[in-house]
Amino acid sequence: MSATPSSPYLSIVVPIFNESESLAPFFERITPILKSTGLDYEIVCVNDGSRDTTYEQLCEMRAEYPDIKVVDLSRNFGKEPALTAGLELCSGDIVIPMDVDLQDPPELIPEMIAKWQEGFDVVLAIRSDRSTDSFMKRFTANSFYKLFSRVSDVDLPDNAGDFRLMDRRVVEALKTLPERTRFMKGLFAWLGFKTTQLYFKREERFAGEGKWGSWKLWNFALDGIFSFSTTPLRIWTYLGFGLSMLSVMYLLYVVVSTLLYGNEVAGYPSLVAIMLFFNGAILMGLGVVGEYVGRIFLESKRRPIYLIREKVGFDEEKG
């Protein structure tokens, strides 16, 4: 473990976007739990370009909760970059990312710490009950986890979000991964380390609305698959080979049919259907290649994952 000789230092990392209604209940609920652990702690709140009063409230709350540290990004970069910012700026021996909407229960934190003290580097919080999610969301989530595990070499734990405990050595390893297109669940799983699991029932959001619509979730899933697997490219290799074989077989059929029965004029509808099918297949294959080329383009520019407008509370010594 990375614990200091006195006591380990705990960092809670919270990416936040337009969550002004959830801030006060979150700190009221988590602060007594953190104090009960007997550990020194910090709560690193990353304001991801919120358009409401989230940033102002965070700064004001530091008077009541001095362990809050605020990172204000220059604009909305998305949850994955905001989470990356918090993980790179926190300084704890133990790091726990979590959401501010209280769907990640703070009451699980002491159990996580106990598992860490047993020698585990990573403690996953697994959702044992997702009844608060819609049927379609549960179905698509389960389908994605299964698909990702099949097409990728990384074993993505089912129903595990960002809520987890990580030892400092895990966070330092994560900081060495340079990719700009961040699929954090995949990066967490890729790291490995000694891991155990705890189970919890996912609660309803305390306030506000979820920020992940269907379109965002779809693009998020694509980022995950294209970032960790080349299987889509291989599928189109095999599909192209299969279509070529079918084309050769059809050509042989036309030649033999012409030699045996004469050269009759075939119907144009079948010809148009075949052309449209192959053109569609070609365009879909180009689309898959384009997804990978687009990610190569983004990585090659080497732009920073996020930009910070202001940091508040980072001048104080920890503990």
Side-chain angles (χ1 to χ4, degrees), residues 68-217:
I68 294 176
K69 297 181 179 181
V70 185
V71 181
D72 188 32
L73 301 186
S74 63
R75 64 172 177 84
N76 177 239
F77 286 89
K79 183 180 179 181
E80 308 296 274
L83 178 56
T84 300
L87 293 174
E88 291 183 347
L89 292 170
C90 71
S91 53
D93 301 309
I94 315 168
V95 180
I96 301 177
M98 62 188 304
D99 292 334
V100 76
D101 57 16
L102 293 176
Q103 288 191 290
D104 299 335
E107 290 77 11
L108 204 62
I109 292 176
E111 295 183 52
M112 289 178 161
I113 295 172
K115 288 294 184 182
W116 176 78
Q117 291 171 335
E118 292 177 13
F120 292 98
D121 298 308
V122 179
V123 183
L124 297 177
I126 305 294
R127 302 159 188 166
S128 60
D129 185 344
R130 301 190 60 159
S131 57
T132 57
D133 295 334
S134 65
F135 169 78
M136 184 55 64
K137 187 172 182 179
R138 294 196 303 269
F139 174 76
T140 53
N142 291 331
S143 299
F144 170 72
Y145 284 121
K146 291 178 181 178
L147 176 62
F148 186 92
S149 297
R150 285 181 177 273
V151 303
S152 171
D153 294 332
V154 176
D155 186 14
L156 196 65
D158 291 349
N159 296 314
D162 297 325
F163 186 36
R164 64 190 65 210
L165 178 147
M166 293 180 287
D167 184 85
R168 168 50 56 179
R169 75 183 80 182
V170 180
V171 177
E172 291 300 321
L174 182 66
K175 288 164 65 174
T176 65
L177 304 182
E179 49 255 61
R180 269 63 183 166
T181 303
R182 312 287 288 183
F183 179 64
M184 298 302 290
K185 293 180 181 63
L187 295 179
F188 290 147
W190 183 88
L191 291 172
F193 289 90
K194 189 177 180 181
T195 303
T196 188
Q197 299 178 349
L198 292 174
Y199 293 87
F200 73 98
K201 181 178 180 180
R202 188 168 174 81
E203 302 177 16
E204 295 275 4
R205 283 182 60 92
F206 180 83
E209 297 180 354
K211 308 302 186 296
W212 291 88
S214 300
W215 183 245
K216 277 190 174 181
L217 288 172

